Amino acid sequence: FNTRRAPHGAPHPAGAMSTGIVAAVSASTSSRAVGSSRASTARRTIRASSSPSSRCDRWSATRAVPSRVGSARTSGVGFASIPAPRRSTLTRGDDAYSGTDRSGATASALSAAGASSAFAVGIEAFFSFLGTALAALVAGFLALSAWRRNLGLLRPRLTLSKSPRIARLVDSCPALHRPLRPPLLLQTSLAQLIAYLLKRNLVPEARWTRETLTTEDGGEIALEWYECCAEDDVWNGMEGDGSVTRTLPSAAPVMCVLHTLTGTAADFVVLAREAAARGFRPVVCLRRGHLDAPLRTPRFNLLGNCDDLDVHLEAVRMKYPGARLFGYGESAGTGLAVRYSGEKGPNNPFAAVSCVCPGYDTTEGGAFSRFEPLLDRHLLASVKEMFLSANEELIRGFECAYEAPGYDELIAAPDMAELQRRLYGMEGYSSLAEYHERTNPMGTVRDIAVPMLVINSDDDPICAPSNVDDNLWAFEGDVDRALVRTPIGTHCCFYEGRTLRPMSSWAHEASLEFFESVLNEQG
C-alpha cells in the first residue's frame, strides 16, 4: 500500500476505502436486522385492532423503527455513518394501502379475464356451429343433386313437328331420351356458367390448321381445321405433325362450327375431339374480327354474314368435294345457321343443322333485350374490347356513305341492345330497319328445308326461356324440326361428369347423334 499521508486533516484514500468496506458490511447486517424487526412489527400491527387508538399505536410502532444504523470503526480512521435503506411498511391504516382497492382490482381483473374467456368460447362456438351448418348444407346439396340425377328428374322434353321423318331421326338419338348427368357440383346455372368461363383452362391444348380467306370487299375470315389435342395418342406438341383427322377418308362428313358472339376455335376443343372420334372432320368458320388480328376493313357482324359464310363453305367444298356438310351453331352462331339455311331453302349445302341455345328473334324487344343484366355487362365489355377498342383507329377513319353512329357513339353504348341498334352502319346496312330485315333469323325460318335440331335450357340467362315460348310457332306444321328443352344446361354448357370437372357436353352428344341419324338415313 502507499504509506504516504494525505494533507493534514484529510483522510488517506486507502483508509477511506477500508472504512467504506467495513461500513457496507455493517450496513448489510443492520439492514437484515432492521428488515426482520420491521416484518415482526408489521405482523403485530396487522393483528391489532382497527380502533382509532390502535391506529395511533401502529403509527408509533412504525416510527419506533430506527432509521439509521450504528457506526463502524477502523484503525486510524474516524467513524462513518451509513444510512440504512428506508422501507415503507404499509398497514391497513395507511392511505397507500387499501384492502378494498386490492380486492376491487383483483375482482376487476378476474371479471375482465372471465369476459375475455367467455368471448373466446362464444367465437369458438359460433364457428363450430357455422362449420356444422355449412357441412350439413353441402351434404344436403350433394344428396339432392344425386337424387335429381339418379331419379331421372333431368330428362329433356321434346317438341316435334308433324313430320314423320323428324320423329324417326329423333328416335335414333339415345341422348335425347335419357336424363342429363351433370357433375354433382355443377347442377346450378351459376356453377355451370363459372365452369364455362373457365373452360379454356379445363380443356386440353389443341392444334388447328388455319386457312385464311378473303371476302370480296377485302375482309378477312378463316377456316380452322382440327388436327388433334393433348389427350389424343398422336399428340406430339403444338409444333408437331400428329393428326387424328388426316387419316379420315376424303368423303368423311365435315362438321362446320358457327361460333359464339366472341368465340374462337379454342372454345370447341371438346366438341371437335368427340366429332373426330365419330368420323367427322371438324372445322370452325371464323368470322371477321375473330382471327386474333385487327380488322382489314371497318366492318364486322355480331351474328355473322350470309355472304361471308358462302365463302367459308365454298372453300370447304373445294377441299372436300365429296363430303356432306353439317352445320353446328352455338348462341350467336345459331342466328347465322338459321338465317343462312332459310335463305338457301332447298339449295342449302348443309345436310342438317343443330342449334344450341338460339336467341330466336333479334329485332327490337327480342333476344338482345332479355339478357341477364350482369352477363349483359360482361358481354358488352367483351364485344367492345374485341371489335371496337382493338380497331379504334380503323373505325374512326371510316367514312360511311350514309349517316350512321361512329366510334364514340358505339363505345358509349350502355348495354347490348343499344349497341346492336347503333351497329347497323358497321355491319354494312343503311338503317336499323334494313339491318333487322336482313339479319333476323326468324325472318327466313319457314323456308328451312333440312332437318333441324334446336336445344334450349330452362335456366339460360342469355337466351331466355321466354324467347322459346314466343317462337313455338316455328315448330308447327310439316317441317323437319325438333325442339329439345332441358331443366339444366344454362348457356351452351350442358356439362356432364361425376364430381366437378366437366368431362363432356350432353348437347354435343345429342347433336352428333342427330347428324349420324341423318347420315345413316341417307346412306
Side-chain angles (χ1 to χ4, degrees):
F1 292 98
N2 190 348
T3 56
R4 288 181 299 174
R5 296 186 60 86
H8 182 72
H12 194 278
M17 181 174 65
S18 300
T19 304
I21 293 173
V22 174
V25 172
S26 300
S28 175
T29 304
S30 300
S31 296
R32 285 195 298 269
V34 170
S36 176
S37 175
R38 285 181 177 177
S40 300
T41 303
R43 284 194 296 269
R44 288 193 303 270
T45 302
I46 292 174
R47 287 194 299 266
S49 171
S50 58
S51 62
S53 58
S54 62
R55 183 179 300 175
C56 295
D57 296 339
R58 287 195 300 271
W59 176 252
S60 300
T62 304
R63 297 285 292 177
V65 178
S67 60
R68 300 180 65 87
V69 297
S71 302
R73 181 181 180 121
T74 57
S75 177
V77 182
F79 291 97
S81 299
I82 306 299
R86 297 182 63 87
R87 293 187 181 180
S88 297
T89 302
L90 300 179
T91 66
R92 295 189 181 184
D94 295 335
D95 293 337
Y97 185 98
S98 174
T100 302
D101 292 345
R102 177 175 293 182
S103 300
T106 303
S108 298
L110 291 176
S111 177
S116 177
S117 177
F119 178 75
V121 171
I123 290 294
E124 182 179 357
F126 172 75
F127 281 106
S128 176
F129 170 78
L130 190 62
T132 303
L134 183 61
L137 184 63
V138 171
F141 173 77
L142 293 177
L144 178 61
S145 300
W147 178 71
R148 291 176 66 198
R149 188 170 69 170
N150 295 335
L151 291 185
L153 300 181
L154 304 178
R155 190 178 298 277
R157 308 184 307 278
L158 304 179
T159 300
L160 306 182
S161 63
K162 296 180 180 180
S163 167
R165 182 187 182 193
I166 196 65
R168 291 193 303 269
L169 293 175
V170 168
D171 286 342
S172 302
C173 303
L176 297 179
H177 304 283
R178 69 165 176 84
L180 280 70
R181 296 187 290 264
L184 287 178
L185 299 180
L186 296 181
Q187 294 204 21
T188 64
S189 178
L190 178 60
Q192 293 220 357
L193 274 177
I194 292 175
Y196 180 81
L197 295 175
L198 298 175
K199 67 180 179 180
R200 293 191 183 182
N201 299 320
L202 300 175
V203 300
E205 284 186 301
R207 188 169 65 252
W208 306 78
T209 298
R210 175 171 294 184
E211 182 180 350
T212 304
L213 307 171
T214 303
T215 63
E216 290 184 359
D217 65 340
E220 192 174 63
I221 57 178
L223 293 171
E224 290 267 89
W225 298 94
Y226 176 75
E227 297 292 346
C228 62
C229 72
E231 294 184 358
D232 293 322
D233 294 336
V234 299
W235 174 261
N236 54 4
M238 292 295 293
E239 303 299 328
D241 58 354
S243 175
V244 296
T245 58
R246 188 178 302 151
T247 57
L248 292 175
S250 60
V254 177
M255 183 185 68
C256 303
V257 178
L258 309 181
H259 55 74
T260 58
L261 203 62
T262 58
T264 64
D267 297 322
F268 299 96
V269 174
V270 175
L271 171 62
R273 184 170 187 263
E274 186 172 352
R278 292 174 180 263
F280 289 87
R281 194 185 307 276
V283 61
V284 179
C285 302
L286 295 179
R287 303 193 294 268
R288 304 180 191 219
H290 295 260
L291 280 66
D292 295 324
L295 290 170
R296 290 290 186 88
T297 61
R299 180 179 173 186
F300 63 90
N301 308 87
L302 289 180
L303 302 178
N305 180 271
C306 291
D307 294 335
D308 289 355
L309 185 55
D310 263 334
V311 177
H312 280 122
L313 299 187
E314 184 61 28
V316 172
R317 285 185 291 189
M318 288 183 63
K319 193 167 188 175
Y320 299 103
R324 293 189 177 96
L325 308 186
F326 291 85
Y328 175 89
E330 276 192 9
S331 190
T334 65
L336 180 58
V338 172
R339 181 74 195 194
Y340 183 83
S341 296
E343 288 189 2
K344 295 300 179 180
N347 299 319
N348 192 350
F350 291 134
V353 174
S354 175
C355 297
V356 178
C357 297
Y360 297 86
D361 192 348
T362 59
T363 58
E364 292 297 317
F368 280 89
S369 301
R370 301 180 184 184
F371 293 171
E372 194 278 330
L374 182 61
L375 293 176
D376 184 281
R377 291 194 291 273
H378 170 73
L379 287 173
L380 181 67
S382 299
V383 169
K384 287 181 178 180
E385 176 64 27
M386 187 173 201
F387 296 107
L388 301 179
S389 299
N391 301 282
E392 179 179 358
E393 184 177 352
L394 177 66
I395 296 174
R396 285 190 181 277
F398 171 57
E399 292 185 4
C400 189
Y402 38 81
E403 185 177 351
Y407 179 85
D408 292 332
E409 292 176 86
L410 296 176
I411 203 70
D415 52 45
M416 282 301 303
E418 185 59 33
L419 179 62
Q420 184 204 22
R421 294 186 192 102
R422 301 179 185 184
L423 274 175
Y424 66 85
M426 292 299 303
E427 299 219 16
Y429 303 102
S430 60
S431 66
L432 180 59
E434 183 189 6
Y435 164 77
H436 285 315
E437 183 182 354
R438 297 282 301 276
T439 62
N440 181 26
M442 303 311 292
T444 63
V445 69
R446 295 185 186 274
D447 300 322
I448 297 176
V450 298
M452 177 173 288
L453 176 69
V454 180
I455 298 174
N456 281 101
S457 175
D458 295 338
D459 63 346
D460 192 333
I462 301 295
C463 297
S466 59
N467 297 349
V468 188
D469 298 333
D470 293 344
N471 293 277
L472 289 175
W473 55 266
F475 301 93
E476 298 174 353
D478 189 16
V479 292
D480 298 330
R481 293 173 208 156
L483 170 64
V484 185
R485 304 181 75 169
T486 64
I488 190 173
T490 190
H491 188 65
C492 302
C493 296
F494 303 93
Y495 293 135
E496 292 196 311
R498 292 186 177 181
T499 307
L500 178 61
R501 182 180 177 183
M503 303 304 295
S504 62
S505 168
W506 174 88
H508 295 169
E509 181 181 348
S511 298
L512 291 170
E513 287 181 354
F514 184 71
F515 294 160
E516 289 174 336
S517 296
V518 175
L519 279 174
N520 295 334
E521 176 192 52
Q522 294 179 355

